Amino acid sequence: MTDADQVHDEDQDRDDRAREDAVEAALGKLDLDTKARLLAGRDMWSLPALPGIGLGSLVMSDGPIGVRGVRWTADDPSIALPSPTALAAAWDPALARRAGRLLAQEARRKGVHVLLAPTVNLHRSPLGGRHFECYSEDPCLTGAIGTGYVRGVQDGGVATTVKHFVGNDAETERFTVDNVIAERTLRELYLAPFEAIVTGARPWGVMTAYNRVNGTTMTEHRHLVNEVLRGEWGFDGCNVSDWMAARSTTGGILGGLDVAMPGPQTVYGPALAEAVRAGEVPESAVDGAVRNVLRLAARVGLLEGAPAVVAEPPAPVDGQALARELAARGCVLVRNDAGALPLDAGPGRTVALIGAAARDARVLGGGSATVFPERVVSPLEGLAAALPEGALTYAVGADPSGELVPAGQGFDLRAVCRDASGAVIGEGSLPSGQVQWIGDDLPAGAAYETMATIEVTGTYVPRESGEHAFGTRGLGAFTLAVGGRTLWEGVQETGDEADPFEAFFGAPSERARTVLTEGEPVGVSLTYRVPDMSALPLRAVMFSLLHLGPRRDADELIAEAVGAARAADTAVVVVATTERVESEGFDRRDLALPGRQDDLVRAVAAANPNTVVVVNAGSPVELSWREDVAAVLLTWFPGQEGGAALADVLLGKAEPGGRLPTTWPASLADAPVTEVVPADGRLEYREGLFIGYRAYEARGVAPAYPFGHGLGYTDWAYESLEAGPDTVRVRLTNTGSRPGREVVQVYLAPVADRAGRPASWLAGFAGAEAGPGESVEVEIALPARAFEVWDEEERGWRRIGGTYEVRASRSHADTRLTATLDL
């Protein structure tokens, strides 16, 4: 240890003691009622301030790809980074740390102290509806990326809440499902990334999930929270419930739940104080929870007399530049036949860009991860800016969405709130036709008590002439007008939606059609009559103005695309999922691309052998035509700069740096785990340890693309492997003509295993960068846990000796070097 390191550690210890002293002093000044109130949300996003002890109000905000802030509005835009699947696809914890620092910068700008991220549940099944918001099917990769992310956010003095602890790996019946998971499976898979992050990054917060695990609701799970998370792993941060997950006053506080969100009505507050007075809860349990909240406030600089962990934030980060870099680094090139990519963009070369998602890119997933960026660069805009004039043509080809969606492109909308007399009491801009105001997230001046109507109003400039459809989503009474003429007035009733959020939103419903002319602005208006919400525990307004452009003949659109492809040197087809396919609140039913997109790809590929397909999806989809096209590039949900990053990758200005963080099945029938729907309220994890690549290997099934797979624009020769009990060293050489980055993956495969383990598993990885002809050596640590199993009888970890094959690989299915290791 250097003298500088010793001084730093001494300073850190001094500050830690000062924070703890300030926490204890503040706690000693609080009476029972105030303590109980501090543990209940003041509103949707914050805890109460207590000026008497110098405590500010802790403000929380949704993540994980951006910091939305406390309002669902575009008036205060946010940087939108690529989806977590894209971040994990970079296989680079240092890059994740840089992303975290940017998000901390965004949080500080918006007055946010706690980021509700990262999501580190595993990709148990490709049908998981929130798959795009999680990192990987593998706990080692998930833990490493999550550790980098948490360190980055907290480098900026902002807290994280690692979520959803634990077992929230699907969305169906997520509020009530009992996930039945064997203890060994729970320890070795689902708890493993949380453990890695808690021990490796010391997060200041954790969020407990809605679901039950082995019969106990997670917000009341004293074994997993108090004994494992806090006791075994040493977590000393704040445990906040998922929103509306806390259901029991005594169960929550005795189970280790510190904060019940959102407020103002929760199971804590007055109910908690009464439980103490009734002898149902010891006041010491309340003190423990308050201590955790005060410690969190001290760390972020909100407790008087306590030094913030970060006095000076890191150097400013260029958000647009980093978003573009992340998007390129996360692109995974899974097929590149005969070097189709990078594109030859020389003089006279032409590109036909095809697909609705090329024009209207889907840059982020649906649900609580939604943010509103200041700008979005579509693939069409990105390629048009990068290619010479006249080199690019565009055709829709096929639209993945055959149903109405929230009004977006071409709409300029505002929300106007009026009282019963018709007077305007508040208004604000809308990023789309969707209104989602929860709690106090209302335009300035508006209040639930005085709002009688909310009107979504503005203009629409059609991009196409023809019959346009308009509709609504949401429960209640509406009036829809277009061009000053009322087209529909009525009430939308509750449907059969299973998820409470889905039920609140209602199903999309078409209400009217009208003929509009391309380029001619028309006024639009959707008025919603606000019901009495005084009896509701949480007041909210959620509804949408929906739109769908003229429905053109699908065969005609494909024929136009084929014509464009035939006339170009290269065809680039962008296929995508929609928000009705991938979103929070429901699981997927299949892995098919929506609409006629598969037919489009086949037709274009038949017309132009140099067809490149760009897959704009956050999760695996079936690619039945994958062997019939020249190249397949996965861009996930690429964030606001996705179109610019795509142009960089396609044209070779940036290498597609990604490797698959999850296995892509050839079809749903090949996926090892498809059970995401509970039976009688229980979802049994019967597959045990065998998810993802572990299951494919055990079953002898070849996926479409294996875990860890990804192609760059150069080639690598793996030259030597040295394996010890703690460290692996791999030497490799860039044998291609371009600089590049390789991800060296180390898998362990036990010989003559008797511990019931998978045939192999990821133990570590490292990135290697080199120019043409250059050699480089990487060192990869082998953690002790890679050789251990959870012994259910002894209730502890047990090291398994014996002989292991150590594999240095480009993917789980592509081993380049092996060595034998005897323990």
Side-chain angles (χ1 to χ4, degrees):
M1 178 183 291
T2 67
D3 291 342
D5 289 336
Q6 184 173 353
V7 169
H8 175 268
D9 289 346
E10 291 174 353
D11 289 344
Q12 191 174 52
D13 289 344
R14 184 189 65 245
D15 287 348
D16 285 342
R17 289 193 299 270
R19 280 189 290 271
E20 289 302 307
D21 289 345
V23 165
E24 294 303 321
L27 177 61
K29 298 176 183 177
L30 300 178
D31 61 28
L32 174 61
D33 292 300
T34 306
K35 289 186 289 191
R37 181 162 57 90
L38 181 60
L39 304 181
R42 179 184 68 175
D43 51 29
M44 186 66 183
W45 301 112
S46 69
L47 297 183
L50 299 177
I53 61 169
L55 176 66
S57 173
L58 275 162
V59 177
M60 310 177 197
S61 172
D62 272 324
I65 57 96
V67 183
R68 190 170 63 245
V70 299
R71 295 192 57 210
W72 190 274
T73 176
D75 290 337
D76 182 16
S78 308
I79 294 289
L81 299 180
S83 62
T85 41
L87 185 61
W91 287 62
D92 188 345
L95 186 65
R97 189 168 189 168
R98 290 173 57 205
R101 287 184 171 184
L102 169 61
L103 295 175
Q105 175 179 293
E106 285 280 279
R108 294 174 80 106
R109 179 176 67 82
K110 288 173 174 273
V112 167
H113 311 106
V114 181
L115 186 61
L116 303 174
T119 305
V120 300
N121 302 106
L122 295 185
H123 295 166
R124 173 177 173 263
S125 169
L127 294 177
R130 218 164 172 178
H131 192 295
F132 63 88
E133 196 178 316
C134 310
Y135 291 131
S136 170
E137 69 187 29
D138 182 79
C140 172
L141 178 58
T142 296
I145 300 302
T147 295
Y149 181 102
V150 168
R151 285 175 175 168
V153 174
Q154 294 183 176
D155 284 346
V158 174
T160 56
T161 57
V162 187
K163 64 182 186 181
H164 306 85
F165 188 75
V166 61
N168 184 186
D169 309 300
E171 294 293 277
T172 305
E173 298 180 23
R174 61 177 172 159
F175 288 83
T176 57
V177 62
D178 182 11
N179 293 320
V180 182
I181 312 172
E183 188 176 8
R184 179 177 174 184
T185 301
L186 189 61
R187 288 283 188 160
E188 294 184 22
L189 285 185
Y190 300 100
L191 285 173
F194 288 95
E195 181 183 11
I197 295 167
V198 168
T199 57
R202 314 307 304 179
W204 301 341
V206 161
M207 180 190 290
T208 41
Y210 293 119
N211 52 279
R212 291 178 286 165
V213 170
N214 298 330
T216 303
T217 301
M218 278 310 306
T219 49
E220 304 166 28
H221 214 304
R222 72 171 73 189
H223 167 61
L224 290 179
V225 173
N226 288 340
E227 296 174 16
V228 176
L229 175 65
R230 293 196 185 279
E232 293 182 26
W233 303 346
F235 175 69
D236 67 353
C238 182
N239 174 16
V240 60
S241 73
D242 204 341
W243 265 228
M244 297 182 289
R247 294 153 218 179
S248 167
T249 300
T250 57
I253 197 69
L254 296 178
L257 179 68
D258 297 324
V259 174
M261 291 296 288
Q265 297 184 42
T266 79
V267 296
Y268 284 176
L272 179 56
E274 181 57 34
V276 173
R277 294 188 176 103
E280 299 169 357
V281 172
E283 190 167 354
S284 60
V286 176
D287 288 347
V290 171
R291 188 175 285 113
N292 293 331
V293 172
L294 293 173
R295 184 180 298 118
L296 172 59
R299 284 169 166 164
V300 300
L302 283 178
L303 181 62
E304 196 172 285
V309 172
V310 177
E312 291 293 330
V317 179
D318 184 330
Q320 288 187 3
L322 182 56
R324 184 170 181 166
E325 180 186 352
L326 287 169
R329 290 283 306 278
C331 283
V332 182
L333 182 60
V334 293
R335 177 177 172 81
N336 194 23
D337 189 41
L341 291 180
L343 296 178
D344 180 357
R349 304 291 293 181
T350 57
V351 175
L353 182 61
I354 297 164
R359 181 182 62 186
D360 301 324
R362 187 174 182 204
V363 300
L364 47 82
S368 60
T370 301
V371 296
F372 306 108
E374 186 174 19
R375 72 174 204 161
V376 170
V377 182
S378 69
L380 179 56
E381 291 167 327
L383 277 171
L387 290 171
E389 187 174 351
L392 183 69
T393 60
Y394 172 72
V396 173
D399 194 330
S401 177
E403 63 181 17
L404 289 84
V405 296
Q409 291 286 340
F411 287 85
D412 182 12
L413 301 171
R414 295 187 65 77
V416 180
C417 306
R418 294 183 174 87
D419 62 18
S421 71
V424 174
I425 57 174
E427 59 181 306
S429 62
L430 289 177
S432 71
Q434 184 175 355
V435 173
Q436 183 165 309
W437 300 335
I438 305 176
D440 294 333
D441 179 10
L442 296 172
Y448 292 104
E449 294 79 8
T450 54
M451 276 193 307
T453 63
I454 302 167
E455 182 186 14
V456 174
T457 181
T459 58
Y460 171 52
V461 181
R463 293 188 295 193
E464 300 172 274
S465 296
E467 189 176 54
H468 290 248
F470 291 85
T472 62
R473 187 181 184 196
L475 306 180
F478 297 93
T479 301
L480 171 66
V482 177
R485 186 166 58 94
T486 297
L487 299 183
W488 178 78
E489 190 167 8
V491 177
Q492 184 161 341
E493 305 287 355
T494 304
D496 59 358
E497 296 81 10
D499 188 274
F501 282 100
E502 277 289 288
F504 202 93
F505 273 116
S509 299
E510 181 177 318
R511 300 305 184 187
R513 298 186 186 186
T514 186
V515 175
L516 302 176
T517 303
E518 177 184 351
E520 292 189 6
V522 62
V524 293
S525 169
L526 178 65
T527 301
Y528 170 72
R529 286 178 278 291
V530 180
D532 180 6
M533 289 182 258
S534 57
L536 297 179
L538 178 65
R539 295 180 293 185
V541 175
M542 299 182 184
F543 70 92
S544 299
L545 168 66
L546 306 179
H547 170 262
L548 181 64
R551 295 171 172 87
R552 293 187 57 195
D553 180 78
D555 291 332
E556 180 182 317
L557 287 174
I558 292 175
E560 287 181 1
V562 166
R566 191 174 285 123
D569 294 303
T570 302
V572 176
V573 184
V574 182
V575 297
T577 58
T578 69
E579 193 165 326
R580 296 288 287 174
V581 173
E582 290 186 85
S583 182
E584 178 180 353
F586 56 87
D587 291 312
R588 299 163 73 187
R589 298 176 181 176
D590 56 46
L591 302 181
L593 286 167
R596 295 280 302 279
Q597 295 182 99
D598 288 326
D599 294 339
L600 170 66
V601 172
R602 292 190 189 96
V604 169
N608 188 330
N610 197 26
T611 292
V612 175
V613 181
V614 175
V615 183
N616 179 194
S619 312
V621 291
E622 292 177 358
L623 309 175
S624 57
W625 34 258
R626 63 188 181 279
E627 300 296 329
D628 301 325
V629 300
V632 179
L633 180 69
L634 313 181
T635 62
W636 314 102
F637 296 145
Q640 67 175 58
E641 305 298 316
L646 176 63
D648 291 341
V649 169
L650 291 179
L651 299 176
K653 295 179 181 178
E655 184 178 38
R659 305 294 185 266
L660 284 179
T662 199
T663 308
W664 274 48
S667 69
L668 181 59
D670 290 340
V673 181
T674 57
E675 295 82 12
V676 294
V677 177
D680 298 322
R682 288 163 55 93
L683 183 62
E684 299 195 26
Y685 286 40
R686 295 186 182 90
E687 69 283 350
L689 298 173
F690 295 90
I691 66 171
Y693 64 85
R694 296 167 170 82
Y696 282 95
E697 187 171 23
R699 296 165 58 198
V701 174
Y705 302 113
F707 176 79
H709 174 62
L711 307 172
Y713 288 157
T714 190
D715 297 313
W716 297 85
Y718 283 58
E719 297 176 341
S720 66
L721 164 64
E722 297 177 17
D726 304 308
T727 306
V728 170
R729 289 185 177 86
V730 180
R731 183 175 179 81
L732 62 164
T733 297
N734 180 348
T735 59
S737 60
R738 297 169 55 102
R741 179 178 186 271
E742 176 72 333
V743 177
V744 180
Q745 304 161 39
V746 173
Y747 297 88
L748 295 179
V751 177
D753 182 58
R754 297 180 181 177
R757 290 176 290 182
S760 63
W761 57 89
L762 181 71
F765 62 91
E769 296 184 7
E774 293 181 352
S775 297
V776 64
E777 184 176 88
V778 295
E779 183 175 299
I780 301 170
L782 294 180
R785 185 56 53 77
F787 299 98
E788 295 176 340
V789 299
W790 181 260
D791 189 319
E792 293 188 345
E793 291 184 3
E794 297 295 326
R795 298 186 63 80
W797 292 100
R798 179 164 57 91
R799 187 173 176 85
I800 306 297
T803 302
Y804 290 83
E805 183 180 75
V806 180
R807 301 172 179 171
S809 307
R810 296 203 73 242
S811 76
H812 181 256
D814 185 2
T815 297
R816 296 302 175 95
L817 297 172
T818 62
T820 299
L821 178 64
D822 292 312
L823 291 184

